Amino acid sequence: MTDSDAQSPERDRPASPPTGWRRWSRSVRLWVVVALSTVVLTMLTSTFVMQPFLIPSGSMEGTLQVGDRVIVNKLAYRFGGEVQRGDIIVFDGTGSFVAEDSDPGLLGGLLRTAGAAVGLAQSSETDYVKRVIGIGGDRVRCCDDQGRIEVNGEPLDEPYLYPGDQPSNVMFDIRVPEGRLWVMGDHRSDSADSREYLGSPGGGTVPEDKVIGRVELIGWPVDRWGWLRSDHG
């Protein structure tokens, strides 16, 4: 065998990628892992603990403005905590405020879930934000001789009402069933709330098991940042 027939070890060995390429590839993989981990952690937190919620309408003005991003505490009622009058809640209106949830499709559902996780979209078109006025067993009526809403015969002091609004321009008198809630927006003249569905099953009340969580604070815009307190009238 001649020298020309011999196989050189250097000739058989595959060329190694440049050192710079390996470093860049490793860096890309690291950032992909970090990004995916961040997305998964954000979505898990949003699903089970705290969720940003985009305020889509003026029904809670002037407490909440259109475009506010609020933080919803999903654990507020999970471990023995009870919904109280005055709490601002986010709930699923399916079966009380709307007949059934619309199906956005697989892609639409994924995009909506991702947007909701960072407060850029509603998690569902059937999610609502309102203030709790009556809980199970309460008699809620409108109105007394001074135009105030009464709960169990006691008039409500409602400093959160939108300036110029009356407590209600709809007359009602309802006993809230156990396990359900009577909810209203702070901007009474611009809120489709329990009063709107008096003739529906449940008489406009919302099942407690449809409550997603309690609104705790305004996170965005920064000039409106602040904690929200429940006002129990």
Side-chain angles (χ1 to χ4, degrees):
M1 182 173 63
T2 66
D3 290 343
S4 61
D5 294 325
Q7 297 296 318
S8 169
E10 286 75 13
R11 186 181 304 169
D12 291 341
R13 186 182 304 128
S16 299
T19 302
W21 169 261
R22 290 200 301 271
R23 186 180 300 114
W24 181 86
S25 178
R26 191 180 303 116
S27 177
V28 169
R29 290 197 299 270
L30 175 62
W31 279 110
V32 169
V33 170
V34 170
L36 289 176
S37 300
T38 301
V39 169
V40 170
L41 180 60
T42 299
M43 295 188 71
L44 286 174
T45 301
S46 177
T47 300
F48 299 108
V49 185
M50 305 285 281
Q51 178 182 339
F53 183 84
L54 173 65
I55 301 301
S57 75
S59 69
M60 284 296 294
E61 292 177 338
T63 306
L64 302 174
Q65 307 292 335
V66 177
D68 282 353
R69 272 73 168 179
V70 298
I71 302 300
V72 177
N73 180 1
K74 290 190 165 185
L75 299 180
Y77 309 120
R78 292 281 178 89
F79 303 103
E82 297 183 352
V83 181
Q84 299 186 46
R85 303 180 199 96
D87 286 356
I88 301 174
I89 61 170
V90 171
F91 62 92
D92 178 4
T94 304
S96 55
F97 281 26
V98 291
E100 60 184 19
D101 198 358
S102 58
D103 183 5
L106 178 60
L107 179 58
L110 290 173
L111 291 174
R112 180 180 291 171
T113 299
V118 293
L120 296 178
Q122 290 177 262
S123 57
S124 170
E125 292 181 356
T126 64
D127 289 351
Y128 293 81
V129 55
K130 303 293 179 188
R131 188 183 297 272
V132 177
I133 301 299
I135 59 176
D138 284 345
R139 181 186 178 187
V140 186
R141 66 175 293 268
C142 175
C143 290
D144 67 7
D145 55 6
Q146 297 184 42
R148 298 170 297 184
I149 291 175
E150 287 185 344
V151 177
N152 300 325
E154 296 293 327
L156 286 185
D157 177 26
E158 301 188 279
Y160 44 75
L161 285 183
Y162 187 77
D165 269 9
Q166 298 299 315
S168 179
N169 56 6
V170 175
M171 306 297 288
F172 58 87
D173 189 342
I174 186 171
R175 177 76 65 176
V176 182
E178 293 294 339
R180 300 182 74 94
L181 307 168
W182 179 269
V183 298
M184 300 175 74
D186 290 354
H187 193 174
R188 298 287 159 79
S189 63
D190 190 32
S191 176
D193 48 41
S194 288
R195 298 168 297 167
E196 188 86 3
Y197 304 96
L198 281 165
S200 302
T205 59
V206 175
E208 285 194 39
D209 60 12
K210 290 288 190 177
V211 175
I212 295 170
R214 183 177 63 213
V215 179
E216 299 285 359
L217 62 87
I218 300 173
W220 184 267
V222 293
D223 61 344
R224 286 181 45 73
W225 189 96
W227 295 91
L228 294 170
R229 70 178 184 89
S230 296
D231 196 312
H232 302 128

